[in-house]
Amino acid sequence: MTAPSVLPPPPPAPHDELELLLRLGDDRLVLGHRLSEWCGHAPILEEDIALANVALDLLGQATMLLRRAGEVEGKGRDEDALAYWREAVEFRNCLLVEQPNGDFAFTMARQFLFDVYAVVTLDAVSRSTNAELAAIAAKALKEAKYHVRHSGEWMLKLGDGTDESHRRVQGALDELWRFTPELFAADDVAARLAAEGIGPDLPALRAHWHELVHDVVERATLTLPHESSHTPHLNGGRAGMHSEHLGHLLAEMQIVARSHPGAKW
Amino acid sequence: MADPLDPAQSVAEQAATIPGDGQWPVWEVFTQSEEGAPHEHAGSVHATDAEHALQNARDVYARRGEVISLWVVPSAAITASTRGDAGPFFDPGADKAYRHPQFYKVPRGVRGL
Amino acid sequence: MTQTRTAPQDDPAKVAEFEARIAAGQSIEPKDWMPERYRRQLIRMMSQHAHSEIVGMLPEGNWITRAPSLRRKISLIAKVQDEAGHGLYIYCGTETLGVDRAELIQQLLDGTAKYSSIFNYPTLSWADIGVIGWFVDGAAIVNQTVLAKASYGPYARAMIRICKEENFHKRQGYEIVATLANGTSAQKAMVQDAVNRWWWPSLMMFGPSDANSPNTAELIKWKVKRRTNDELRQRFVNLTVPQAAAVNLTLPDPDLAYDTESENWSFGRIDWDEFNQVLRGNGPCNRERLAARRKAHDDGAWVREAASAYAAKQRAKQASEAA
């Protein structure tokens, strides 16, 4: 038994801040990578360029976040060491972003759900008590606000377009919905960070996210899947328990770097 | 081909005029590079409506951060003079010296004119 | 393709006036009168150029997911994205000649339009990304700098924008090459191998030699082209030889020699049989490239339709609200 402490609770260990940076950074690295798979294969030239812009923003954010993660960790790892030399179980991204692209409707539905999540979380992180983190989030927030405008418009176009597009995007939403509770699940790390005002209070952000998603989904003549269809065990990403897809993504991403240990590029 | 920008057309007519292998209407894009500068023609994009055209213009013509404002205009809405018009349209302007301030004499020493 | 139609007879007086304008260095704008043959040559040349940008996204896009650092990955996406943008600019320019982009793309997909033969070669290692930036973009810049002075206004303006944006492409390529050339022995071997594979196809990019280039004289007269294929090829070789030497790479041509009199690097014989084979569709990747473009186009059809249908519904809604 420990005696009741007269001291305030200890500040989050550097480990917590590192976790947060990896979660934010890996989400963007993995989703940026997924979007870059579209490069040269989009439905129309204008969209090829648009998707590449979003991929570039996300990879730029990932670079900043992972670089900062390396600094906080203090073991001399830079953003490339973290991106290219970690195993799948060491990645901290949510399961949503690692899901394969599927068709354009699937990619856009995945993007839209993430973009709204990014806007609400970055808005919170931009007011973090951690100045470095707040600055990165503030910059990323501007980008995310454009991303959601882009993916939101596509939700409307596909939802209220043709019968085929409606069927496809509704199917994508139904399929992806089970990955959304994870976005707002707070484990001990997230709870400590939120209590200290460093990280976002995820459970508290869910209602706002839901409202924003619902608004677009309704205007797009789509319906939100029932919560009951959620399978509760799909939330391991933040602890490194991923879907099988991530390993394949990383195998491709890391192959050149890992074939030449110590080489410079 | 029917005018894809005419709001009076029925949905069915519209769908018939723009099949998947047809194309979205063309929009002309004008960009402003800094506060107070004029909007200049940058190029064009294909898009289905104004918001879509604005986003495509942003993604295509503003990706290097040299743009602070965008205009998009349906190409079909632009009326241009032709080279045949050039003589009657523009030559008469060339000898109207009285439209320029230098044409007018001002007494010595008077300022602010 | 457009040229298969027989050209109508143009009014000789108008042709003379047109050619006088070209000779005086004026630029031709979309609504100006132009000989039908000028229009068709431009559509052919501009659409080939645009198609090349679009197909050119594929060999480099092949390495985006495997780029070995975040910096390289980001630069490569930006570069491939620029190619989409440049294709778009040139298609837009071509549309001012009264042809739809959809029609031009259809010609690419059904194999009746050509694109640069270079993109029918495979990208086999990361070093190819560096060498493509250095050689292929280097060659393209030599070409496009000249095209920026082409007589057709929309083409020239697209080229000016493209040249400005492409400045970084060649440098990012050469930076990759220089890094590999100064790297591990495996990296050095990788980049020398890439140089060996891409050198000759890059020289072929400038097209057939002047003796076998039937369109050149007319295109030069009309200032659509400003230099012959051989002149541009020579300029490229002269620029590239010292760049290779600077990073201790060799070019795979035993006949390469400096001619003090002409101040040119003379080079060996280009294998025009290979060039013609690739043009005829028998290059290593012709089928894959077109198949990839067709798949993207076909898979995207329902998306393009959906966007059109949505816009039509919105317009109908607005119209009924206004009524």
Side-chain angles (χ1 to χ4, degrees), chain C residues 110-157:
Chain C
D110 62 26
T112 54
K114 288 185 184 135
Y115 58 86
S116 181
S117 56
I118 193 85
F119 301 118
N120 290 316
Y121 290 86
T123 47
L124 299 178
S125 77
W126 170 251
D128 290 32
I129 298 310
V131 174
I132 287 178
W134 176 25
F135 285 176
V136 178
D137 288 85
I141 290 166
V142 165
N143 245 324
Q144 289 166 355
T145 311
V146 180
L147 285 171
K149 299 181 196 109
S151 58
Y152 188 57
Y155 197 20
R157 288 193 287 275

Short mmCIF file of all heavy atoms in Angstrom, two decimals, chain C residues 110-157:
data_model
loop_
_atom_site.label_atom_id
_atom_site.label_comp_id
_atom_site.label_asym_id
_atom_site.label_seq_id
_atom_site.Cartn_x
_atom_site.Cartn_y
_atom_site.Cartn_z
N ASP C 110 -6.95 3.46 -77.66
CA ASP C 110 -7.16 2.45 -78.70
C ASP C 110 -5.91 2.26 -79.57
O ASP C 110 -5.94 1.53 -80.56
CB ASP C 110 -8.43 2.70 -79.51
CG ASP C 110 -8.40 4.02 -80.27
OD1 ASP C 110 -7.29 4.49 -80.57
OD2 ASP C 110 -9.48 4.58 -80.54
N GLY C 111 -4.82 2.90 -79.17
CA GLY C 111 -3.53 2.61 -79.79
C GLY C 111 -3.29 3.33 -81.11
O GLY C 111 -2.31 3.05 -81.80
N THR C 112 -4.16 4.29 -81.48
CA THR C 112 -3.94 4.99 -82.75
C THR C 112 -3.04 6.21 -82.57
O THR C 112 -2.52 6.73 -83.54
CB THR C 112 -5.27 5.42 -83.39
OG1 THR C 112 -6.01 6.19 -82.44
CG2 THR C 112 -6.08 4.21 -83.81
N ALA C 113 -2.86 6.66 -81.35
CA ALA C 113 -1.97 7.81 -81.12
C ALA C 113 -0.65 7.32 -80.55
O ALA C 113 -0.59 6.31 -79.86
CB ALA C 113 -2.62 8.78 -80.15
N LYS C 114 0.39 8.06 -80.85
CA LYS C 114 1.72 7.68 -80.35
C LYS C 114 2.05 8.44 -79.07
O LYS C 114 1.44 9.46 -78.76
CB LYS C 114 2.78 8.01 -81.40
CG LYS C 114 2.73 7.08 -82.60
CD LYS C 114 3.90 7.42 -83.53
CE LYS C 114 3.84 6.58 -84.78
NZ LYS C 114 4.10 7.40 -85.98
N TYR C 115 3.03 7.92 -78.37
CA TYR C 115 3.63 8.64 -77.24
C TYR C 115 5.11 8.30 -77.24
O TYR C 115 5.55 7.41 -77.98
CB TYR C 115 2.94 8.27 -75.92
CG TYR C 115 2.98 6.79 -75.59
CD1 TYR C 115 4.06 6.22 -74.92
CD2 TYR C 115 1.94 5.94 -75.99
CE1 TYR C 115 4.10 4.87 -74.64
CE2 TYR C 115 1.98 4.58 -75.72
CZ TYR C 115 3.06 4.05 -75.04
OH TYR C 115 3.11 2.71 -74.78
N SER C 116 5.87 8.98 -76.42
CA SER C 116 7.32 8.82 -76.48
C SER C 116 7.73 7.36 -76.21
O SER C 116 7.29 6.75 -75.23
CB SER C 116 7.98 9.74 -75.45
OG SER C 116 9.37 9.60 -75.53
N SER C 117 8.60 6.86 -77.09
CA SER C 117 9.01 5.45 -77.00
C SER C 117 9.72 5.14 -75.69
O SER C 117 9.71 4.01 -75.22
CB SER C 117 9.93 5.11 -78.17
OG SER C 117 11.04 5.99 -78.18
N ILE C 118 10.31 6.15 -75.06
CA ILE C 118 11.12 5.90 -73.86
C ILE C 118 10.32 5.25 -72.73
O ILE C 118 10.85 4.49 -71.94
CB ILE C 118 11.74 7.24 -73.35
CG1 ILE C 118 12.83 7.00 -72.32
CG2 ILE C 118 10.70 8.15 -72.75
CD1 ILE C 118 14.17 6.75 -72.90
N PHE C 119 9.03 5.54 -72.70
CA PHE C 119 8.23 5.05 -71.56
C PHE C 119 7.81 3.60 -71.72
O PHE C 119 7.12 3.05 -70.87
CB PHE C 119 7.04 5.98 -71.32
CG PHE C 119 7.48 7.39 -71.04
CD1 PHE C 119 7.12 8.44 -71.87
CD2 PHE C 119 8.31 7.65 -69.96
CE1 PHE C 119 7.57 9.73 -71.62
CE2 PHE C 119 8.76 8.94 -69.70
CZ PHE C 119 8.39 9.98 -70.54
N ASN C 120 8.25 2.98 -72.80
CA ASN C 120 7.99 1.55 -72.97
C ASN C 120 9.13 0.69 -72.46
O ASN C 120 9.17 -0.51 -72.71
CB ASN C 120 7.73 1.25 -74.44
CG ASN C 120 6.40 1.83 -74.86
OD1 ASN C 120 5.42 1.71 -74.15
ND2 ASN C 120 6.37 2.48 -76.02
N TYR C 121 10.08 1.33 -71.77
CA TYR C 121 11.16 0.56 -71.13
C TYR C 121 10.84 0.40 -69.65
O TYR C 121 10.24 1.30 -69.04
CB TYR C 121 12.50 1.26 -71.33
CG TYR C 121 12.97 1.22 -72.76
CD1 TYR C 121 12.56 2.18 -73.68
CD2 TYR C 121 13.79 0.20 -73.21
CE1 TYR C 121 12.97 2.13 -75.01
CE2 TYR C 121 14.21 0.13 -74.53
CZ TYR C 121 13.79 1.10 -75.43
OH TYR C 121 14.18 1.04 -76.73
N PRO C 122 11.26 -0.71 -69.05
CA PRO C 122 10.91 -0.96 -67.65
C PRO C 122 11.84 -0.23 -66.67
O PRO C 122 13.01 0.01 -66.98
CB PRO C 122 11.11 -2.48 -67.51
CG PRO C 122 12.16 -2.81 -68.52
CD PRO C 122 11.98 -1.85 -69.66
N THR C 123 11.30 0.13 -65.50
CA THR C 123 12.14 0.65 -64.42
C THR C 123 12.45 -0.51 -63.48
O THR C 123 11.58 -1.03 -62.79
CB THR C 123 11.42 1.76 -63.63
OG1 THR C 123 10.08 1.34 -63.32
CG2 THR C 123 11.34 3.04 -64.44
N LEU C 124 13.71 -0.93 -63.48
CA LEU C 124 14.09 -2.18 -62.80
C LEU C 124 14.73 -1.97 -61.43
O LEU C 124 14.79 -2.91 -60.64
CB LEU C 124 15.04 -2.98 -63.69
CG LEU C 124 14.45 -3.41 -65.04
CD1 LEU C 124 15.49 -4.16 -65.85
CD2 LEU C 124 13.21 -4.26 -64.85
N SER C 125 15.26 -0.80 -61.17
CA SER C 125 15.85 -0.58 -59.85
C SER C 125 15.59 0.87 -59.44
O SER C 125 15.18 1.70 -60.26
CB SER C 125 17.36 -0.83 -59.87
OG SER C 125 18.05 0.25 -60.47
N TRP C 126 15.84 1.15 -58.19
CA TRP C 126 15.66 2.53 -57.70
C TRP C 126 16.53 3.51 -58.50
O TRP C 126 16.14 4.64 -58.75
CB TRP C 126 15.97 2.61 -56.21
CG TRP C 126 16.03 4.03 -55.74
CD1 TRP C 126 17.15 4.72 -55.36
CD2 TRP C 126 14.93 4.95 -55.66
NE1 TRP C 126 16.81 6.01 -55.04
CE2 TRP C 126 15.46 6.20 -55.23
CE3 TRP C 126 13.56 4.86 -55.92
CZ2 TRP C 126 14.67 7.32 -55.04
CZ3 TRP C 126 12.78 5.99 -55.74
CH2 TRP C 126 13.32 7.20 -55.30
N ALA C 127 17.69 3.04 -58.94
CA ALA C 127 18.58 3.93 -59.69
C ALA C 127 17.92 4.43 -60.97
O ALA C 127 18.24 5.52 -61.46
CB ALA C 127 19.89 3.22 -60.01
N ASP C 128 17.01 3.66 -61.52
CA ASP C 128 16.32 4.10 -62.74
C ASP C 128 15.61 5.43 -62.52
O ASP C 128 15.48 6.24 -63.44
CB ASP C 128 15.30 3.04 -63.19
CG ASP C 128 15.97 1.78 -63.72
OD1 ASP C 128 17.06 1.45 -63.24
OD2 ASP C 128 15.39 1.13 -64.63
N ILE C 129 15.12 5.64 -61.30
CA ILE C 129 14.40 6.89 -61.01
C ILE C 129 15.37 8.07 -61.12
O ILE C 129 15.01 9.12 -61.68
CB ILE C 129 13.76 6.82 -59.60
CG1 ILE C 129 12.74 5.67 -59.56
CG2 ILE C 129 13.12 8.13 -59.20
CD1 ILE C 129 11.73 5.67 -60.68
N GLY C 130 16.58 7.89 -60.63
CA GLY C 130 17.57 8.96 -60.78
C GLY C 130 17.94 9.18 -62.23
O GLY C 130 17.98 10.32 -62.72
N VAL C 131 18.20 8.09 -62.93
CA VAL C 131 18.67 8.22 -64.31
C VAL C 131 17.57 8.77 -65.23
O VAL C 131 17.84 9.55 -66.13
CB VAL C 131 19.22 6.86 -64.81
CG1 VAL C 131 19.56 6.94 -66.29
CG2 VAL C 131 20.45 6.47 -64.00
N ILE C 132 16.32 8.40 -64.96
CA ILE C 132 15.22 8.97 -65.76
C ILE C 132 15.15 10.48 -65.56
O ILE C 132 15.01 11.25 -66.51
CB ILE C 132 13.87 8.30 -65.41
CG1 ILE C 132 13.84 6.87 -65.97
CG2 ILE C 132 12.70 9.10 -65.95
CD1 ILE C 132 12.57 6.11 -65.64
N GLY C 133 15.25 10.91 -64.31
CA GLY C 133 15.23 12.35 -64.06
C GLY C 133 16.36 13.05 -64.79
O GLY C 133 16.17 14.11 -65.40
N TRP C 134 17.52 12.43 -64.75
CA TRP C 134 18.70 13.05 -65.37
C TRP C 134 18.60 13.00 -66.91
O TRP C 134 18.68 14.05 -67.57
CB TRP C 134 19.94 12.31 -64.86
CG TRP C 134 21.25 12.72 -65.44
CD1 TRP C 134 21.58 13.92 -66.00
CD2 TRP C 134 22.42 11.89 -65.52
NE1 TRP C 134 22.89 13.91 -66.40
CE2 TRP C 134 23.43 12.69 -66.13
CE3 TRP C 134 22.71 10.59 -65.12
CZ2 TRP C 134 24.71 12.18 -66.36
CZ3 TRP C 134 23.99 10.10 -65.34
CH2 TRP C 134 24.98 10.89 -65.96
N PHE C 135 18.43 11.82 -67.47
CA PHE C 135 18.41 11.68 -68.93
C PHE C 135 17.08 12.11 -69.56
O PHE C 135 17.05 12.96 -70.44
CB PHE C 135 18.65 10.22 -69.34
CG PHE C 135 20.06 9.72 -69.19
CD1 PHE C 135 20.36 8.39 -69.45
CD2 PHE C 135 21.10 10.57 -68.81
CE1 PHE C 135 21.65 7.90 -69.32
CE2 PHE C 135 22.40 10.09 -68.68
CZ PHE C 135 22.67 8.75 -68.93
N VAL C 136 16.02 11.48 -69.10
CA VAL C 136 14.73 11.66 -69.79
C VAL C 136 14.20 13.07 -69.58
O VAL C 136 13.76 13.73 -70.52
CB VAL C 136 13.73 10.57 -69.35
CG1 VAL C 136 12.38 10.79 -70.02
CG2 VAL C 136 14.28 9.19 -69.66
N ASP C 137 14.26 13.55 -68.34
CA ASP C 137 13.82 14.93 -68.12
C ASP C 137 14.82 15.90 -68.73
O ASP C 137 14.43 16.96 -69.22
CB ASP C 137 13.62 15.19 -66.63
CG ASP C 137 12.39 14.48 -66.12
OD1 ASP C 137 12.50 13.29 -65.77
OD2 ASP C 137 11.31 15.08 -66.12
N GLY C 138 16.09 15.53 -68.70
CA GLY C 138 17.09 16.37 -69.35
C GLY C 138 16.79 16.52 -70.84
O GLY C 138 16.80 17.63 -71.38
N ALA C 139 16.49 15.41 -71.48
CA ALA C 139 16.15 15.45 -72.91
C ALA C 139 14.87 16.24 -73.14
O ALA C 139 14.77 17.04 -74.07
CB ALA C 139 16.00 14.03 -73.44
N ALA C 140 13.90 16.02 -72.26
CA ALA C 140 12.63 16.73 -72.41
C ALA C 140 12.84 18.24 -72.27
O ALA C 140 12.22 19.02 -73.00
CB ALA C 140 11.63 16.24 -71.36
N ILE C 141 13.70 18.63 -71.36
CA ILE C 141 13.94 20.07 -71.16
C ILE C 141 14.59 20.68 -72.40
O ILE C 141 14.23 21.77 -72.85
CB ILE C 141 14.78 20.32 -69.88
CG1 ILE C 141 13.93 20.01 -68.64
CG2 ILE C 141 15.29 21.75 -69.82
CD1 ILE C 141 14.70 19.89 -67.35
N VAL C 142 15.55 19.95 -73.00
CA VAL C 142 16.17 20.42 -74.24
C VAL C 142 15.09 20.66 -75.31
O VAL C 142 15.06 21.69 -75.98
CB VAL C 142 17.22 19.40 -74.74
CG1 VAL C 142 17.62 19.68 -76.18
CG2 VAL C 142 18.45 19.41 -73.84
N ASN C 143 14.19 19.71 -75.41
CA ASN C 143 13.09 19.82 -76.37
C ASN C 143 12.14 20.97 -76.06
O ASN C 143 11.76 21.75 -76.93
CB ASN C 143 12.25 18.54 -76.28
CG ASN C 143 12.32 17.74 -77.56
OD1 ASN C 143 12.37 18.33 -78.64
ND2 ASN C 143 12.33 16.43 -77.43
N GLN C 144 11.76 21.03 -74.79
CA GLN C 144 10.68 21.95 -74.41
C GLN C 144 11.14 23.40 -74.35
O GLN C 144 10.34 24.31 -74.59
CB GLN C 144 10.11 21.52 -73.05
CG GLN C 144 9.30 20.23 -73.18
CD GLN C 144 8.98 19.58 -71.86
OE1 GLN C 144 9.43 20.04 -70.81
NE2 GLN C 144 8.21 18.51 -71.90
N THR C 145 12.41 23.60 -74.06
CA THR C 145 12.92 24.97 -74.05
C THR C 145 12.73 25.58 -75.44
O THR C 145 12.40 26.75 -75.59
CB THR C 145 14.42 24.97 -73.68
OG1 THR C 145 14.57 24.17 -72.52
CG2 THR C 145 14.92 26.35 -73.40
N VAL C 146 12.92 24.74 -76.44
CA VAL C 146 12.76 25.21 -77.82
C VAL C 146 11.28 25.36 -78.16
O VAL C 146 10.86 26.31 -78.81
CB VAL C 146 13.47 24.24 -78.78
CG1 VAL C 146 13.32 24.71 -80.20
CG2 VAL C 146 14.95 24.14 -78.42
N LEU C 147 10.47 24.41 -77.68
CA LEU C 147 9.03 24.47 -77.97
C LEU C 147 8.36 25.67 -77.31
O LEU C 147 7.28 26.10 -77.73
CB LEU C 147 8.35 23.19 -77.50
CG LEU C 147 8.59 21.96 -78.37
CD1 LEU C 147 8.05 20.72 -77.68
CD2 LEU C 147 7.95 22.13 -79.74
N ALA C 148 8.99 26.22 -76.28
CA ALA C 148 8.42 27.40 -75.62
C ALA C 148 8.39 28.59 -76.58
O ALA C 148 7.75 29.59 -76.30
CB ALA C 148 9.21 27.74 -74.36
N LYS C 149 9.11 28.47 -77.70
CA LYS C 149 9.07 29.54 -78.70
C LYS C 149 8.24 29.12 -79.92
O LYS C 149 8.33 29.73 -80.98
CB LYS C 149 10.50 29.88 -79.14
CG LYS C 149 11.37 30.37 -77.99
CD LYS C 149 12.78 30.73 -78.49
CE LYS C 149 13.75 30.83 -77.33
NZ LYS C 149 14.72 29.72 -77.28
N ALA C 150 7.44 28.07 -79.77
CA ALA C 150 6.63 27.59 -80.89
C ALA C 150 5.64 28.67 -81.32
O ALA C 150 5.26 29.53 -80.53
CB ALA C 150 5.89 26.32 -80.50
N SER C 151 5.20 28.60 -82.58
CA SER C 151 4.36 29.67 -83.11
C SER C 151 2.94 29.64 -82.56
O SER C 151 2.25 30.64 -82.58
CB SER C 151 4.31 29.59 -84.64
OG SER C 151 3.82 28.33 -85.05
N TYR C 152 2.48 28.48 -82.08
CA TYR C 152 1.11 28.43 -81.58
C TYR C 152 1.07 28.86 -80.11
O TYR C 152 1.66 28.21 -79.23
CB TYR C 152 0.52 27.02 -81.75
CG TYR C 152 -0.95 26.97 -81.43
CD1 TYR C 152 -1.85 27.80 -82.11
CD2 TYR C 152 -1.45 26.13 -80.45
CE1 TYR C 152 -3.19 27.79 -81.82
CE2 TYR C 152 -2.81 26.11 -80.15
CZ TYR C 152 -3.68 26.94 -80.84
OH TYR C 152 -5.02 26.94 -80.54
N GLY C 153 0.38 29.96 -79.84
CA GLY C 153 0.37 30.60 -78.53
C GLY C 153 0.08 29.65 -77.37
O GLY C 153 0.86 29.56 -76.42
N PRO C 154 -1.04 28.90 -77.42
CA PRO C 154 -1.36 28.03 -76.28
C PRO C 154 -0.29 26.96 -76.02
O PRO C 154 -0.04 26.60 -74.86
CB PRO C 154 -2.69 27.38 -76.69
CG PRO C 154 -3.32 28.39 -77.59
CD PRO C 154 -2.18 29.00 -78.35
N TYR C 155 0.34 26.45 -77.08
CA TYR C 155 1.40 25.46 -76.90
C TYR C 155 2.61 26.11 -76.24
O TYR C 155 3.16 25.61 -75.26
CB TYR C 155 1.78 24.87 -78.25
CG TYR C 155 2.56 23.55 -78.20
CD1 TYR C 155 2.55 22.73 -77.08
CD2 TYR C 155 3.29 23.12 -79.31
CE1 TYR C 155 3.24 21.53 -77.06
CE2 TYR C 155 3.99 21.92 -79.30
CZ TYR C 155 3.97 21.12 -78.16
OH TYR C 155 4.65 19.93 -78.15
N ALA C 156 3.01 27.26 -76.78
CA ALA C 156 4.17 27.96 -76.24
C ALA C 156 3.95 28.33 -74.77
O ALA C 156 4.84 28.15 -73.93
CB ALA C 156 4.46 29.21 -77.07
N ARG C 157 2.74 28.79 -74.45
CA ARG C 157 2.48 29.19 -73.06
C ARG C 157 2.50 27.99 -72.12
O ARG C 157 3.01 28.07 -71.00
CB ARG C 157 1.14 29.94 -72.98
CG ARG C 157 1.22 31.34 -73.58
CD ARG C 157 0.01 32.18 -73.21
NE ARG C 157 -1.20 31.78 -73.91
CZ ARG C 157 -1.55 32.19 -75.13
NH1 ARG C 157 -0.76 33.02 -75.80
NH2 ARG C 157 -2.66 31.79 -75.69
#
